[in-house]
Amino acid sequence: MALRAGVAGGVLSTIAVAGSANAATAAEPVTETIEMPTLTATLTSKAALSAEATQQAADAYQYRAEQQSAAEKAVKDAKKAHKAAEKKAEAAAKKKAEERAAAAERAARSAERTDLSGVRTAAATSSSTGSSASAPSQDVAAPASGSVASVISFLQAQVGDAYVMGGTGPNSWDCSGLVQAAFKQVGVDLPRTSQEQSTAGTQVGTSNLQVGDILYWGGQGSAYHTGVYIGDGKYLDAANPSKGVVIQDLSGYPADGAVRVL
């Protein structure tokens, strides 16, 4: 339509000019005719096809944009769902681990109370028969003051606690921190480190151990680990991060020396 309007405008302008010229020269006859171009069916069809192709391209672009936006949203939603699932799984695993640890601790504490009852019974029997002086080193016997029994009782109550380097309780310990805390219960102030504890009290041979003796591994004054002998060839210590506070067989990990402070 714009094309037709332009052509028509040009034709009318031409006619106006021609009219003016004819008025001025009325005597001159008109010898030329002007034909107005017209739009052919072919041109109209091409224009329509071009418009349709343009619209189709615009629709396709919009469709691709919508698809890309939907895909990006789906990825974001999937990431959020994955993170939420991971957090949920971690929380469930943590809860189960805590429940297992609590159950193990309860069982260990129950076993400790049973063992401690046996220790006290043995001590009472030894005292009543007057055989405490000649009893073998592995027998569980406490002095009349009950100091050793108090130390062993405290130590056994900590079985199952975690090992943490530098830990001094009440729920996590390192080896020397646990030994120091146990003897503090009966008024004995021990040094804080394994090296210093290996020189405290009286040095005794590992073949002549008594319940309550402090065992050490490494050299005297340069020990790297300490524990407490609890009788029957066993000792109690804050072993390492994987074991925590445990009772172990001395034959499996013989000590290098021992000191007696009670």
Side-chain angles (χ1 to χ4, degrees), residues 1 5 36 55 71 77-78 97 125 132 135 155 170-171 176 200 248 256 259:
M1 291 178 66
M36 183 175 66
Q55 184 61 45
D77 292 343
T125 302
S132 59
L155 288 170
N171 298 313
S176 56
Q248 305 192 79
D256 295 307
V259 293

Side-chain angles (χ1 to χ4, degrees), residues 7 17 152 168 199 215:
V7 172
V17 171
I152 301 303
T168 57
T199 63
L215 305 175

